[in-house]
Amino acid sequence: MSTIDLRPSVPFMTIEGKSIIAQATVDFSKTPAAKGDVIKVLRLPKGAIVEQVSLIVHTTEATVKVCAGIESDTDAFLVLKALTDIKADNNAGTADGAYMTATPKFIPANDSLCLELDAANAAAAVVSVVCKYHVVAKTFMS
């Protein structure tokens, strides 16, 4: 098992109290991943409250299953789901399929939104992760 870091290196500046929608696309044909790999997709700042995470499947791949979470709990947001099932759930697979959670989660220290592969390697799928969060003002954090 290895960790693949695809997070952009953008610093967090003046985002306290604002809603942020961050998105990243993972193209496994460009960055293949093996079963058990953890892919760091987006940075989550200390004090973030993650409101919603969505996984959008543009191109699926047979037997690939994925979950989404943080580094210490890789299924904190989206529990293991097959990419083919996500794709098939929307318009019989003719359009991009999406899977979404609405359970808020507080991020007490700098962390990452991660995907973890289970069941098979990924070498061709293309997925996007969308994360909506806001950051608690530092004056409220001790």
Side-chain angles (χ1 to χ4, degrees), residues 28 39 55 57 63-68 74 78-83 86 99 114-118 127:
F28 290 107
I39 301 100
L55 179 66
V57 179
T63 68
V64 174
K65 294 182 180 181
V66 67
C67 54
T74 55
L78 301 173
V79 179
L80 192 63
K81 186 96 168 161
L83 296 184
I86 297 170
Y99 186 57
C114 301
L115 298 178
E116 183 177 11
L117 292 179
D118 192 15
V127 299

Side-chain angles (χ1 to χ4, degrees), residues 77-91:
F77 301 121
L78 301 173
V79 179
L80 192 63
K81 186 96 168 161
L83 296 184
T84 52
D85 291 345
I86 297 170
K87 184 81 168 164
D89 285 346
N90 190 5
N91 295 331

Side-chain angles (χ1 to χ4, degrees), residues 6 21-28 39-42 52-60 66-69 77-78 83 86-87 96-101 113-115 117 124-132:
L6 300 178
I21 298 177
Q23 177 179 335
T25 299
V26 179
D27 184 343
F28 290 107
I39 301 100
K40 295 179 182 180
V41 182
L42 295 168
Q52 191 172 61
V53 173
S54 301
L55 179 66
I56 302 161
V57 179
H58 305 291
T59 305
T60 191
V66 67
C67 54
F77 301 121
L78 301 173
L83 296 184
I86 297 170
K87 184 81 168 164
D96 292 347
Y99 186 57
M100 181 181 310
T101 184
L113 181 84
C114 301
L115 298 178
L117 292 179
V126 179
V127 299
S128 290
V129 179
V130 180
C131 179
K132 179 181 178 186

